[in-house]
PDB file of all heavy atoms in Angstrom:
ATOM      1  N   SER A 302    -123.411  52.491  33.354  1.00  0.00           N
ATOM      2  CA  SER A 302    -124.418  52.939  34.308  1.00  0.00           C
ATOM      3  C   SER A 302    -125.767  53.188  33.686  1.00  0.00           C
ATOM      4  O   SER A 302    -126.798  53.090  34.338  1.00  0.00           O
ATOM      5  CB  SER A 302    -123.920  54.261  34.976  1.00  0.00           C
ATOM      6  OG  SER A 302    -123.715  55.238  34.007  1.00  0.00           O
ATOM      7  N   CYS A 303    -125.789  53.445  32.363  1.00  0.00           N
ATOM      8  CA  CYS A 303    -127.059  53.763  31.698  1.00  0.00           C
ATOM      9  C   CYS A 303    -127.914  52.493  31.521  1.00  0.00           C
ATOM     10  O   CYS A 303    -129.150  52.576  31.392  1.00  0.00           O
ATOM     11  CB  CYS A 303    -126.781  54.383  30.324  1.00  0.00           C
ATOM     12  SG  CYS A 303    -125.878  55.937  30.401  1.00  0.00           S
ATOM     13  N   ILE A 304    -127.274  51.362  31.439  1.00  0.00           N
ATOM     14  CA  ILE A 304    -128.054  50.127  31.232  1.00  0.00           C
ATOM     15  C   ILE A 304    -128.198  49.319  32.535  1.00  0.00           C
ATOM     16  O   ILE A 304    -128.802  48.247  32.527  1.00  0.00           O
ATOM     17  CB  ILE A 304    -127.398  49.250  30.169  1.00  0.00           C
ATOM     18  CG1 ILE A 304    -125.957  48.831  30.583  1.00  0.00           C
ATOM     19  CG2 ILE A 304    -127.368  49.944  28.827  1.00  0.00           C
ATOM     20  CD1 ILE A 304    -125.307  47.908  29.636  1.00  0.00           C
ATOM     21  N   GLU A 305    -127.638  49.829  33.619  1.00  0.00           N
ATOM     22  CA  GLU A 305    -127.707  49.075  34.863  1.00  0.00           C
ATOM     23  C   GLU A 305    -129.135  48.893  35.369  1.00  0.00           C
ATOM     24  O   GLU A 305    -129.491  47.805  35.881  1.00  0.00           O
ATOM     25  CB  GLU A 305    -126.850  49.771  35.942  1.00  0.00           C
ATOM     26  CG  GLU A 305    -126.622  48.933  37.188  1.00  0.00           C
ATOM     27  CD  GLU A 305    -125.951  47.584  36.868  1.00  0.00           C
ATOM     28  OE1 GLU A 305    -125.067  47.551  36.019  1.00  0.00           O
ATOM     29  OE2 GLU A 305    -126.329  46.583  37.517  1.00  0.00           O
ATOM     30  N   LYS A 306    -129.978  49.933  35.233  1.00  0.00           N
ATOM     31  CA  LYS A 306    -131.339  49.820  35.678  1.00  0.00           C
ATOM     32  C   LYS A 306    -132.136  48.741  34.910  1.00  0.00           C
ATOM     33  O   LYS A 306    -132.946  47.995  35.447  1.00  0.00           O
ATOM     34  CB  LYS A 306    -132.077  51.148  35.546  1.00  0.00           C
ATOM     35  CG  LYS A 306    -131.752  52.150  36.648  1.00  0.00           C
ATOM     36  CD  LYS A 306    -132.428  51.751  37.956  1.00  0.00           C
ATOM     37  CE  LYS A 306    -132.316  52.830  38.977  1.00  0.00           C
ATOM     38  NZ  LYS A 306    -133.054  54.022  38.655  1.00  0.00           N
ATOM     39  N   VAL A 307    -131.860  48.690  33.591  1.00  0.00           N
ATOM     40  CA  VAL A 307    -132.525  47.638  32.795  1.00  0.00           C
ATOM     41  C   VAL A 307    -132.063  46.260  33.271  1.00  0.00           C
ATOM     42  O   VAL A 307    -132.839  45.362  33.377  1.00  0.00           O
ATOM     43  CB  VAL A 307    -132.198  47.837  31.278  1.00  0.00           C
ATOM     44  CG1 VAL A 307    -132.817  46.716  30.459  1.00  0.00           C
ATOM     45  CG2 VAL A 307    -132.687  49.205  30.813  1.00  0.00           C
ATOM     46  N   SER A 310    -133.810  45.369  36.455  1.00  0.00           N
ATOM     47  CA  SER A 310    -135.226  45.018  36.234  1.00  0.00           C
ATOM     48  C   SER A 310    -135.352  43.606  35.676  1.00  0.00           C
ATOM     49  O   SER A 310    -136.189  42.811  36.116  1.00  0.00           O
ATOM     50  CB  SER A 310    -135.879  46.033  35.291  1.00  0.00           C
ATOM     51  OG  SER A 310    -135.996  47.289  35.916  1.00  0.00           O
ATOM     52  N   LEU A 354    -131.125  43.942  26.099  1.00  0.00           N
ATOM     53  CA  LEU A 354    -131.727  45.243  25.871  1.00  0.00           C
ATOM     54  C   LEU A 354    -132.828  45.203  24.756  1.00  0.00           C
ATOM     55  O   LEU A 354    -133.888  45.762  24.916  1.00  0.00           O
ATOM     56  CB  LEU A 354    -130.656  46.289  25.448  1.00  0.00           C
ATOM     57  CG  LEU A 354    -129.646  46.678  26.503  1.00  0.00           C
ATOM     58  CD1 LEU A 354    -128.586  47.592  25.890  1.00  0.00           C
ATOM     59  CD2 LEU A 354    -130.332  47.345  27.673  1.00  0.00           C
ATOM     60  N   ILE A 358    -136.661  46.120  25.878  1.00  0.00           N
ATOM     61  CA  ILE A 358    -137.312  47.346  25.300  1.00  0.00           C
ATOM     62  C   ILE A 358    -138.696  47.034  24.822  1.00  0.00           C
ATOM     63  O   ILE A 358    -139.606  47.875  24.938  1.00  0.00           O
ATOM     64  CB  ILE A 358    -136.408  47.933  24.222  1.00  0.00           C
ATOM     65  CG1 ILE A 358    -135.137  48.513  24.831  1.00  0.00           C
ATOM     66  CG2 ILE A 358    -137.156  49.000  23.395  1.00  0.00           C
ATOM     67  CD1 ILE A 358    -134.065  48.905  23.818  1.00  0.00           C
ATOM     68  N   GLN A 361    -141.386  47.271  27.585  1.00  0.00           N
ATOM     69  CA  GLN A 361    -141.352  48.486  28.419  1.00  0.00           C
ATOM     70  C   GLN A 361    -142.685  48.757  29.133  1.00  0.00           C
ATOM     71  O   GLN A 361    -142.692  49.066  30.336  1.00  0.00           O
ATOM     72  CB  GLN A 361    -140.960  49.653  27.512  1.00  0.00           C
ATOM     73  CG  GLN A 361    -140.775  50.984  28.272  1.00  0.00           C
ATOM     74  CD  GLN A 361    -140.270  52.069  27.364  1.00  0.00           C
ATOM     75  OE1 GLN A 361    -139.822  51.854  26.247  1.00  0.00           O
ATOM     76  NE2 GLN A 361    -140.358  53.315  27.834  1.00  0.00           N
ATOM     77  N   TYR A 365    -143.792  48.958  33.323  1.00  0.00           N
ATOM     78  CA  TYR A 365    -144.574  50.039  33.950  1.00  0.00           C
ATOM     79  C   TYR A 365    -145.795  49.495  34.695  1.00  0.00           C
ATOM     80  O   TYR A 365    -146.126  49.952  35.814  1.00  0.00           O
ATOM     81  CB  TYR A 365    -145.037  51.036  32.881  1.00  0.00           C
ATOM     82  CG  TYR A 365    -143.956  51.994  32.420  1.00  0.00           C
ATOM     83  CD1 TYR A 365    -143.663  52.149  31.072  1.00  0.00           C
ATOM     84  CD2 TYR A 365    -143.272  52.769  33.353  1.00  0.00           C
ATOM     85  CE1 TYR A 365    -142.668  53.035  30.666  1.00  0.00           C
ATOM     86  CE2 TYR A 365    -142.293  53.657  32.952  1.00  0.00           C
ATOM     87  CZ  TYR A 365    -141.972  53.797  31.605  1.00  0.00           C
ATOM     88  OH  TYR A 365    -141.016  54.663  31.204  1.00  0.00           O
ATOM     89  N   CYS A 376    -136.856  49.080  41.065  1.00  0.00           N
ATOM     90  CA  CYS A 376    -135.722  49.431  40.238  1.00  0.00           C
ATOM     91  C   CYS A 376    -136.100  49.698  38.775  1.00  0.00           C
ATOM     92  O   CYS A 376    -135.306  49.485  37.879  1.00  0.00           O
ATOM     93  CB  CYS A 376    -134.653  48.318  40.298  1.00  0.00           C
ATOM     94  SG  CYS A 376    -135.255  46.683  39.852  1.00  0.00           S
ATOM     95  N   ILE A 377    -137.337  50.132  38.534  1.00  0.00           N
ATOM     96  CA  ILE A 377    -137.768  50.386  37.177  1.00  0.00           C
ATOM     97  C   ILE A 377    -137.011  51.558  36.587  1.00  0.00           C
ATOM     98  O   ILE A 377    -136.812  52.583  37.220  1.00  0.00           O
ATOM     99  CB  ILE A 377    -139.304  50.659  37.133  1.00  0.00           C
ATOM    100  CG1 ILE A 377    -139.752  50.819  35.669  1.00  0.00           C
ATOM    101  CG2 ILE A 377    -139.669  51.879  37.984  1.00  0.00           C
ATOM    102  CD1 ILE A 377    -141.238  50.907  35.517  1.00  0.00           C
ATOM    103  N   PRO A 378    -136.524  51.433  35.348  1.00  0.00           N
ATOM    104  CA  PRO A 378    -135.807  52.535  34.694  1.00  0.00           C
ATOM    105  C   PRO A 378    -136.752  53.729  34.410  1.00  0.00           C
ATOM    106  O   PRO A 378    -137.962  53.562  34.220  1.00  0.00           O
ATOM    107  CB  PRO A 378    -135.304  51.949  33.364  1.00  0.00           C
ATOM    108  CG  PRO A 378    -135.344  50.438  33.593  1.00  0.00           C
ATOM    109  CD  PRO A 378    -136.483  50.208  34.529  1.00  0.00           C
ATOM    110  N   THR A 379    -136.186  54.894  34.374  1.00  0.00           N
ATOM    111  CA  THR A 379    -136.925  56.080  34.026  1.00  0.00           C
ATOM    112  C   THR A 379    -137.098  56.141  32.522  1.00  0.00           C
ATOM    113  O   THR A 379    -136.496  55.353  31.760  1.00  0.00           O
ATOM    114  CB  THR A 379    -136.211  57.345  34.503  1.00  0.00           C
ATOM    115  OG1 THR A 379    -134.950  57.452  33.798  1.00  0.00           O
ATOM    116  CG2 THR A 379    -135.969  57.276  35.999  1.00  0.00           C
ATOM    117  N   GLU A 380    -137.931  57.077  32.048  1.00  0.00           N
ATOM    118  CA  GLU A 380    -138.148  57.199  30.601  1.00  0.00           C
ATOM    119  C   GLU A 380    -136.845  57.585  29.933  1.00  0.00           C
ATOM    120  O   GLU A 380    -136.570  57.106  28.787  1.00  0.00           O
ATOM    121  CB  GLU A 380    -139.223  58.271  30.339  1.00  0.00           C
ATOM    122  CG  GLU A 380    -140.615  57.846  30.752  1.00  0.00           C
ATOM    123  CD  GLU A 380    -141.651  58.867  30.281  1.00  0.00           C
ATOM    124  OE1 GLU A 380    -141.310  59.746  29.470  1.00  0.00           O
ATOM    125  OE2 GLU A 380    -142.816  58.731  30.700  1.00  0.00           O
ATOM    126  N   GLU A 381    -136.009  58.383  30.545  1.00  0.00           N
ATOM    127  CA  GLU A 381    -134.755  58.781  29.980  1.00  0.00           C
ATOM    128  C   GLU A 381    -133.825  57.576  29.862  1.00  0.00           C
ATOM    129  O   GLU A 381    -133.087  57.417  28.866  1.00  0.00           O
ATOM    130  CB  GLU A 381    -134.060  59.872  30.818  1.00  0.00           C
ATOM    131  CG  GLU A 381    -134.753  61.226  30.769  1.00  0.00           C
ATOM    132  CD  GLU A 381    -136.025  61.272  31.633  1.00  0.00           C
ATOM    133  OE1 GLU A 381    -136.214  60.318  32.454  1.00  0.00           O
ATOM    134  OE2 GLU A 381    -136.812  62.221  31.481  1.00  0.00           O
ATOM    135  N   GLU A 382    -133.838  56.711  30.876  1.00  0.00           N
ATOM    136  CA  GLU A 382    -132.996  55.519  30.836  1.00  0.00           C
ATOM    137  C   GLU A 382    -133.483  54.522  29.792  1.00  0.00           C
ATOM    138  O   GLU A 382    -132.651  53.870  29.132  1.00  0.00           O
ATOM    139  CB  GLU A 382    -132.974  54.854  32.240  1.00  0.00           C
ATOM    140  CG  GLU A 382    -132.168  55.653  33.240  1.00  0.00           C
ATOM    141  CD  GLU A 382    -132.364  55.198  34.671  1.00  0.00           C
ATOM    142  OE1 GLU A 382    -133.413  54.627  34.977  1.00  0.00           O
ATOM    143  OE2 GLU A 382    -131.434  55.407  35.482  1.00  0.00           O
ATOM    144  N   TRP A 383    -134.808  54.423  29.615  1.00  0.00           N
ATOM    145  CA  TRP A 383    -135.323  53.591  28.525  1.00  0.00           C
ATOM    146  C   TRP A 383    -134.892  54.126  27.177  1.00  0.00           C
ATOM    147  O   TRP A 383    -134.540  53.376  26.263  1.00  0.00           O
ATOM    148  CB  TRP A 383    -136.862  53.474  28.615  1.00  0.00           C
ATOM    149  CG  TRP A 383    -137.366  52.475  29.558  1.00  0.00           C
ATOM    150  CD1 TRP A 383    -138.159  52.726  30.647  1.00  0.00           C
ATOM    151  CD2 TRP A 383    -137.180  51.077  29.530  1.00  0.00           C
ATOM    152  NE1 TRP A 383    -138.471  51.556  31.334  1.00  0.00           N
ATOM    153  CE2 TRP A 383    -137.840  50.522  30.642  1.00  0.00           C
ATOM    154  CE3 TRP A 383    -136.448  50.200  28.711  1.00  0.00           C
ATOM    155  CZ2 TRP A 383    -137.863  49.171  30.941  1.00  0.00           C
ATOM    156  CZ3 TRP A 383    -136.463  48.860  28.991  1.00  0.00           C
ATOM    157  CH2 TRP A 383    -137.197  48.352  30.106  1.00  0.00           C
ATOM    158  N   GLU A 384    -134.939  55.412  27.022  1.00  0.00           N
ATOM    159  CA  GLU A 384    -134.533  56.039  25.770  1.00  0.00           C
ATOM    160  C   GLU A 384    -133.057  55.803  25.496  1.00  0.00           C
ATOM    161  O   GLU A 384    -132.655  55.502  24.364  1.00  0.00           O
ATOM    162  CB  GLU A 384    -134.803  57.555  25.792  1.00  0.00           C
ATOM    163  CG  GLU A 384    -134.500  58.246  24.492  1.00  0.00           C
ATOM    164  CD  GLU A 384    -134.817  59.714  24.503  1.00  0.00           C
ATOM    165  OE1 GLU A 384    -135.372  60.191  25.550  1.00  0.00           O
ATOM    166  OE2 GLU A 384    -134.580  60.413  23.509  1.00  0.00           O
ATOM    167  N   MET A 385    -132.217  55.914  26.552  1.00  0.00           N
ATOM    168  CA  MET A 385    -130.806  55.631  26.382  1.00  0.00           C
ATOM    169  C   MET A 385    -130.543  54.189  26.030  1.00  0.00           C
ATOM    170  O   MET A 385    -129.708  53.880  25.154  1.00  0.00           O
ATOM    171  CB  MET A 385    -130.077  56.007  27.695  1.00  0.00           C
ATOM    172  CG  MET A 385    -128.570  55.739  27.613  1.00  0.00           C
ATOM    173  SD  MET A 385    -127.708  56.625  26.274  1.00  0.00           S
ATOM    174  CE  MET A 385    -127.959  58.301  26.882  1.00  0.00           C
ATOM    175  N   ALA A 386    -131.286  53.280  26.674  1.00  0.00           N
ATOM    176  CA  ALA A 386    -131.135  51.833  26.373  1.00  0.00           C
ATOM    177  C   ALA A 386    -131.494  51.576  24.903  1.00  0.00           C
ATOM    178  O   ALA A 386    -130.813  50.792  24.238  1.00  0.00           O
ATOM    179  CB  ALA A 386    -131.990  51.039  27.312  1.00  0.00           C
ATOM    180  N   SER A 387    -132.543  52.261  24.419  1.00  0.00           N
ATOM    181  CA  SER A 387    -132.925  52.066  23.035  1.00  0.00           C
ATOM    182  C   SER A 387    -131.846  52.573  22.085  1.00  0.00           C
ATOM    183  O   SER A 387    -131.568  51.952  21.046  1.00  0.00           O
ATOM    184  CB  SER A 387    -134.250  52.819  22.783  1.00  0.00           C
ATOM    185  OG  SER A 387    -134.669  52.639  21.465  1.00  0.00           O
ATOM    186  N   ASN A 388    -131.256  53.733  22.424  1.00  0.00           N
ATOM    187  CA  ASN A 388    -130.165  54.273  21.585  1.00  0.00           C
ATOM    188  C   ASN A 388    -128.947  53.328  21.559  1.00  0.00           C
ATOM    189  O   ASN A 388    -128.333  53.130  20.501  1.00  0.00           O
ATOM    190  CB  ASN A 388    -129.748  55.653  22.073  1.00  0.00           C
ATOM    191  CG  ASN A 388    -130.800  56.728  21.782  1.00  0.00           C
ATOM    192  OD1 ASN A 388    -131.571  56.580  20.835  1.00  0.00           O
ATOM    193  ND2 ASN A 388    -130.848  57.791  22.598  1.00  0.00           N
ATOM    194  N   ILE A 389    -128.652  52.810  22.717  1.00  0.00           N
ATOM    195  CA  ILE A 389    -127.473  51.918  22.825  1.00  0.00           C
ATOM    196  C   ILE A 389    -127.737  50.633  22.017  1.00  0.00           C
ATOM    197  O   ILE A 389    -126.892  50.152  21.246  1.00  0.00           O
ATOM    198  CB  ILE A 389    -127.210  51.550  24.302  1.00  0.00           C
ATOM    199  CG1 ILE A 389    -126.747  52.782  25.098  1.00  0.00           C
ATOM    200  CG2 ILE A 389    -126.178  50.447  24.402  1.00  0.00           C
ATOM    201  CD1 ILE A 389    -126.707  52.593  26.563  1.00  0.00           C
TER     202      ILE A 389
END
Side-chain angles (χ1 to χ4, degrees):
S302 59
C303 299
I304 61 176
E305 190 59 37
K306 281 287 189 67
V307 178
S310 292
L354 293 175
I358 289 169
Q361 184 174 346
Y365 281 128
C376 54
I377 184 172
T379 63
E380 291 188 11
E381 290 77 13
E382 287 169 335
W383 278 118
E384 183 178 358
M385 178 59 66
S387 180
N388 288 334
I389 294 168

